[in-house]
Amino acid sequence: MKRRIQFIKPSLVLITGMFCCLLFILGSSLIIDLGYFFQPFFYLFFYFYYYTALKRHNIVFALFLITAYIGEVFLIIDVHKYFVEIIVMFILAAAAMLYTFLPILKLKSRKITKEMLVEPGIGLIFCVYTVIYLMTMYYELVPNKFLFISGAILLLFFTMVCFLIPLRNRHPSNVYLYLIGGGLLVEAILAFLYTYSLSIPIIAVGTKIAICVHKTCVTLYFVSIDEVYSDESREGY
């Protein structure tokens, strides 16, 4: 079995996973049950891509994918009904990612100038404003206000870390972090808009696209993270 896996091209596995993402988006837009059928497959293929690329398992990455999948199933079905489950799964998934970021934050930082802070600073201000605006807008509607505030704070902290790492270490793979942080933020915003304000198909499709972009970028980042950890990245970037 292991010999057979060695002959499987990781790029083919990744493409298959991305194709399942496409089927999930298109299928759920046309026939909801069909989309749900394809949803678990891109999570499985993304983990299999990690395994075929690096020839090892990763418990943290598996935990991230499992909790993210459970949370996003509930997210798509009904945010209000499964609010507590969604926030708990989000906290576990974010914790797995933040645990992965810890060694990167310990790497020697390059010199950060004021000019380098302008674009990420503007993006972060926009994120803070958007999250606070949504908190004030939907505060009375959510079923668990403590978890709502806790999740919003964690979302802002997670986004800030995703924007901070590329500033400190400009390894090419760290570019994925902008899409990881931004993708999760868009996913959360669109899900709340769809549930509490604009229940229109285009918002639901946008949420599913954000889910797929976020998971694809996380997968690519996990595969390349050894290079980010390496001594070469400490000195060369």
Side-chain angles (χ1 to χ4, degrees), residues 10-25:
S11 58
L12 182 60
V13 179
L14 177 63
I15 291 171
T16 305
M18 295 174 71
F19 182 67
C20 288
C21 284
L22 182 61
L23 292 177
F24 162 63
I25 295 168

Side-chain angles (χ1 to χ4, degrees), residues 1-234:
M1 181 66 179
K2 290 184 177 180
R3 290 183 179 181
R4 290 181 181 178
I5 291 176
Q6 289 177 353
F7 289 103
I8 298 175
K9 292 183 179 180
S11 58
L12 182 60
V13 179
L14 177 63
I15 291 171
T16 305
M18 295 174 71
F19 182 67
C20 288
C21 284
L22 182 61
L23 292 177
F24 162 63
I25 295 168
L26 294 177
S28 59
S29 300
L30 300 174
I31 306 173
I32 294 178
D33 291 339
L34 182 62
Y36 289 158
F37 173 79
F38 286 113
Q39 188 177 4
F41 286 99
F42 67 80
Y43 290 89
L44 291 172
F45 276 110
F46 283 161
Y47 186 83
F48 190 46
Y49 165 65
Y50 178 94
Y51 181 75
T52 55
L54 301 182
K55 304 297 187 297
R56 67 170 187 260
H57 291 287
N58 188 320
I59 296 175
V60 176
F61 183 45
L63 175 65
F64 168 81
L65 289 176
I66 292 169
T67 53
Y69 170 66
I70 295 171
E72 284 162 0
V73 167
F74 288 139
L75 184 80
I76 293 171
I77 296 174
D78 192 327
V79 172
H80 190 79
K81 183 178 180 180
Y82 299 105
F83 185 83
V84 173
E85 290 84 352
I86 292 169
I87 298 297
V88 171
M89 291 300 109
F90 160 67
I91 290 173
L92 291 174
M97 287 299 299
L98 291 172
Y99 176 82
T100 303
F101 292 158
L102 283 176
I104 302 172
L105 290 170
K106 293 178 181 178
L107 296 177
K108 182 180 178 182
S109 175
R110 63 171 172 162
K111 185 177 179 181
I112 300 175
T113 64
K114 292 181 180 179
E115 291 76 15
M116 294 164 59
L117 293 172
V118 174
E119 291 184 7
I122 293 173
L124 194 59
I125 290 172
F126 172 76
C127 293
V128 171
Y129 171 79
T130 303
V131 171
I132 292 177
Y133 176 77
L134 289 175
M135 287 177 64
T136 56
M137 186 175 181
Y138 300 127
Y139 182 77
E140 296 299 330
L141 300 175
V142 296
N144 190 314
K145 294 173 175 53
F146 174 76
L147 278 180
F148 180 55
I149 294 174
S150 301
I153 293 172
L154 181 58
L155 178 61
L156 285 175
F157 179 74
F158 182 84
T159 305
M160 182 180 69
V161 173
C162 287
F163 283 17
L164 173 65
I165 291 175
L167 284 177
R168 298 181 76 257
N169 184 302
R170 59 182 179 182
H171 188 281
S173 295
N174 284 333
V175 174
Y176 289 127
L177 292 177
Y178 289 122
L179 293 173
I180 291 171
L184 182 60
L185 188 66
V186 170
E187 178 184 330
I189 290 171
L190 292 182
F192 272 90
L193 284 175
Y194 183 80
T195 301
Y196 296 110
S197 296
L198 298 171
S199 299
I200 56 177
I202 190 65
I203 302 295
V205 172
T207 304
K208 293 160 189 172
I209 291 174
I211 287 172
C212 291
V213 170
H214 180 247
K215 298 305 163 299
T216 302
C217 291
V218 169
T219 302
L220 293 171
Y221 192 67
F222 262 91
V223 169
S224 62
I225 208 158
D226 284 350
E227 297 177 4
V228 183
Y229 286 161
S230 69
D231 291 334
E232 182 180 354
S233 70
R234 291 173 187 254

